[in-house]
Amino acid sequence: MTNKVDSTQLAPSAIVVVNASTHNESEKSNHNFTFDIEENETLALKMQYVNNAINEIGFTSYQLKLFFLNGFGYAVDSLLLLLNALTQPQVALQYQPAISKAQTMSLGIGLLLGALFWGAGADVIGRKYAFNITLFWCSIFAIVAGASPNYAAVCIFIGLMAFGGGGNLILDTAIYLEFLPGKYQWSLTFMAAWWGVGHMVAGLVAWPFLANFSCAKNDICTNANNSGWRYTFYTLGSVVFILSLLRVFLIRLKESPKWLLSQNRDAEVVKIIQEIAQAAGKECSLTLEQLESIGPVVQVNTSKYNPMIVWYHIKGLFPNRKVGYSTFLNIASWTLIGLAYPLYNVFLPYYLQSRGDSLGDGSVYTTYRDYAIINVCSIFGPIIAGCLVEVRFLGRRYTMAIGALLTMTFLFAFTAVRTSAQNLAFNCAISVCLNVYYGTLYAYTPEVLPSAHRGTGNAITVACNRVMNIVAALIGTYADLSSSVPIYVCAAAFALLALLSFLFPFEPHGRTSG
């Protein structure tokens, strides 16, 4: 491999970085937080060498381990979200809180703070430590939440549990992507199937516990007759704890070579790439001399422990108009879906109930049976998306548009539901279509973010999503839940999401993210 790199072969984000010569000179004069042109060119050229080396090695057992272990992280995040949703009614019956959605608000606040803290932290201290800590954190506080003596304690521990979960999801996609050969990036979309697995596990665990160990609405609920929600927390928290141990002792995660490049730790980059190649019995032509011949990446002129370094990473998401436009559309998409999906979950049951629809016997058993069926169906959305993103004329953008438009269609049609069978069928259809969109968006966002600032970019997009989750919970607490307007608002939001998908400037299909 020669030292000359053809910039036309760089990934979309890297192409923009190399052509950043139009960047305003006044921004270059900022002494502490310069997004330096030479820094971008140097990092992009080094990134191309690393991408070539990863593509040369191919998909190995190491990436396969990451698919499962990072996939467990996906599953855990969805499991924790559903854990809160499934247990909330019985917790509220036992403690009779003044604010019925306080548990959901605590979850949203924890996810928001966790996304910001762990996402930005991953760009400062690296991916490895944050990746290993977050899952363990989730498991401990999930178990402790099950032993809560009162409602305030439940909310506090759920918020702490979510603080770990908020960072976990951000890191899962970033780490897997940064070790992935370009021709296998479709598997990042496919990996979102683990989200459905997490929902399925949570639903199947909660079903017997909540069906057999829960009090009825007219009962006086105590620990003696309402312990099902506690058993659910203990069981699922223990599952997450086991997964956190597997993540540390089975995979022994290596630090991301693309993050190390941004820190001028070239020798470690070569060592990690060579170790992956040797373990797989493959040859790798990457050498330290190749990387050093390009020169060092210019570092920000401040300590990495200075809080202001976060501003440097935020600026790195807007190096020029095209990348900035892409970042803005990602933020807008995550914000919209963060409002539309929770609103659908909050309003639809009340809307149907207000219309006098017959949706089954209303028993706890039937409710959690339907939850389990719907969540099994959600697994198929990312699987379908993983196939569609590899169709040349569809790619990531049109796959997201298809998923959003189908979700919109089924939401509009849902207002005509009158029977239990129709309710279950439409819920299953929406679950599949929604996860076609969501699974692709989860993969697309880290693919088009600059690698050195990917953690911060993921943090901001997901944080906007979490803010809207909290807003949806507040609306669900104080709004008129019998109106049909929110159903149509949610459907219209998915139509807008489809439009945003068409407007994205980058299509990662056929390219290696850089």
Side-chain angles (χ1 to χ4, degrees):
M1 182 183 296
T2 64
N3 291 339
K4 183 178 180 180
V5 180
D6 182 0
S7 65
T8 63
Q9 300 301 312
L10 298 175
S13 56
I15 292 174
V16 177
V17 167
V18 172
N19 292 321
S21 57
T22 59
H23 201 54
N24 194 309
E25 288 297 322
S26 64
E27 295 188 22
K28 292 175 65 179
S29 64
N30 186 324
H31 179 69
N32 288 328
F33 299 103
T34 303
F35 200 92
D36 192 89
I37 304 306
E38 292 182 4
E39 171 193 350
N40 293 338
E41 291 180 350
T42 301
L43 184 59
L45 293 174
K46 288 187 174 185
M47 197 77 71
Q48 182 61 29
Y49 274 121
V50 171
N51 282 340
N52 288 342
I54 292 174
N55 289 333
E56 181 184 7
I57 297 168
F59 194 89
T60 70
S61 60
Y62 184 75
Q63 282 88 354
L64 185 62
K65 286 182 180 179
L66 281 179
F67 178 82
F68 281 94
L69 270 296
N70 290 40
F72 290 165
Y74 255 109
V76 165
D77 284 305
S78 68
L79 178 151
L80 295 177
L81 287 172
L82 193 60
L83 170 61
N84 176 73
L86 294 174
T87 58
Q88 182 174 254
Q90 296 307 127
V91 174
L93 279 176
Q94 182 166 339
Y95 293 118
Q96 299 295 315
I99 301 176
S100 61
K101 298 294 189 297
Q103 187 175 327
T104 297
M105 293 177 198
S106 296
L107 182 82
I109 292 170
L111 290 171
L112 168 63
L113 297 177
L116 291 172
F117 180 83
W118 296 109
D123 282 340
V124 177
I125 67 171
R127 320 300 199 219
K128 179 178 179 179
Y129 296 112
F131 182 75
N132 287 334
I133 292 169
T134 51
L135 210 60
F136 178 75
W137 182 290
C138 288
S139 67
I140 296 302
F141 286 106
I143 294 170
V144 173
S148 299
N150 52 52
Y151 190 70
V154 172
C155 293
I156 290 171
F157 291 130
I158 283 179
L160 289 169
M161 174 190 76
F163 180 77
N168 187 56
L169 187 61
I170 292 170
L171 297 168
D172 290 328
T173 53
I175 290 171
Y176 184 60
L177 175 64
E178 291 176 358
F179 283 98
L180 202 57
K183 66 182 293 187
Y184 292 96
Q185 280 183 202
W186 60 268
S187 65
L188 189 63
T189 301
F190 186 84
M191 193 172 75
W194 285 101
W195 184 268
V197 172
H199 267 47
M200 179 185 69
V201 171
L204 292 175
V205 169
W207 182 7
F209 284 139
L210 294 174
N212 296 307
F213 303 99
S214 295
C215 60
K217 290 183 180 179
N218 297 324
D219 294 340
I220 298 175
C221 299
T222 65
N223 289 335
N225 65 353
N226 193 41
S227 54
W229 68 270
R230 296 186 186 275
Y231 297 153
T232 305
F233 269 103
Y234 294 148
T235 303
L236 293 177
S238 298
V239 170
V240 177
F241 180 72
I242 293 170
L243 294 178
S244 70
L245 294 180
L246 290 176
R247 185 176 265 193
V248 174
F249 296 109
L250 179 61
I251 192 170
R252 299 189 180 186
L253 179 73
K254 304 176 189 298
E255 185 56 86
S256 164
K258 295 182 179 180
W259 179 79
L260 290 171
L261 281 181
S262 70
Q263 305 299 306
N264 280 320
R265 292 159 65 176
D266 294 348
E268 293 177 62
V269 172
V270 174
K271 181 175 181 290
I272 288 171
I273 297 295
Q274 292 287 358
E275 284 177 351
I276 293 174
Q278 291 171 8
K282 303 286 187 69
E283 294 293 329
C284 177
S285 57
L286 181 67
T287 64
L288 180 58
E289 289 73 21
Q290 289 173 335
L291 298 180
E292 289 182 338
S293 67
I294 300 173
V297 174
V298 178
Q299 294 290 295
V300 59
N301 186 24
T302 188
S303 166
K304 70 177 183 178
Y305 298 109
N306 186 330
M308 287 301 293
I309 198 172
V310 175
W311 176 240
Y312 163 75
H313 288 293
I314 292 174
K315 286 185 65 178
L317 300 170
F318 301 89
N320 56 49
R321 181 175 298 177
K322 193 171 184 180
V323 175
Y325 175 61
S326 173
T327 300
F328 171 76
L329 289 181
N330 269 290
I331 292 172
S333 297
W334 280 91
T335 302
L336 262 179
I337 192 68
L339 179 65
Y341 185 48
L343 274 183
Y344 154 70
N345 281 326
V346 168
F347 277 101
L348 196 59
Y350 291 96
Y351 169 78
L352 295 172
Q353 185 180 24
S354 71
R355 296 301 189 271
D357 301 320
S358 175
L359 299 178
D361 58 17
S363 69
V364 174
Y365 177 87
T366 301
T367 299
Y368 291 106
R369 179 205 65 187
D370 288 355
Y371 262 123
I373 294 172
I374 293 165
N375 291 317
V376 168
C377 291
S378 68
I379 298 174
F380 297 100
I383 294 175
I384 294 170
C387 298
L388 293 179
V389 296
E390 282 300 286
V391 178
R392 184 176 296 276
F393 61 87
L394 292 178
R396 275 67 162 165
R397 294 179 297 171
Y398 294 134
T399 298
M400 284 190 285
I402 290 170
L405 290 173
L406 287 175
T407 304
M408 176 201 71
T409 302
F410 282 112
L411 276 171
F412 277 127
F414 214 153
T415 58
V417 165
R418 293 295 181 271
T419 69
S420 176
Q422 290 173 349
N423 177 49
L424 181 59
F426 274 89
N427 262 305
C428 289
I430 289 176
S431 182
V432 172
C433 297
L434 177 64
N435 279 283
V436 168
Y437 174 82
Y438 230 153
T440 310
L441 180 65
Y442 265 118
Y444 179 85
T445 298
E447 281 186 297
V448 297
L449 291 172
S451 182
H453 315 286
R454 185 170 284 145
T456 301
N458 267 345
I460 292 172
T461 56
V462 175
C464 291
N465 179 275
R466 304 313 188 193
V467 169
M468 300 315 290
N469 289 171
I470 299 169
V471 171
L474 288 171
I475 293 173
T477 301
Y478 298 108
D480 176 12
L481 301 182
S482 62
S483 169
S484 61
V485 173
I487 303 296
Y488 294 106
V489 170
C490 290
F494 278 100
L496 185 54
L497 286 168
L499 175 61
L500 292 178
S501 300
F502 282 115
L503 295 177
F504 276 119
F506 296 129
E507 174 51 62
H509 178 268
R511 296 178 181 270
T512 302
S513 178

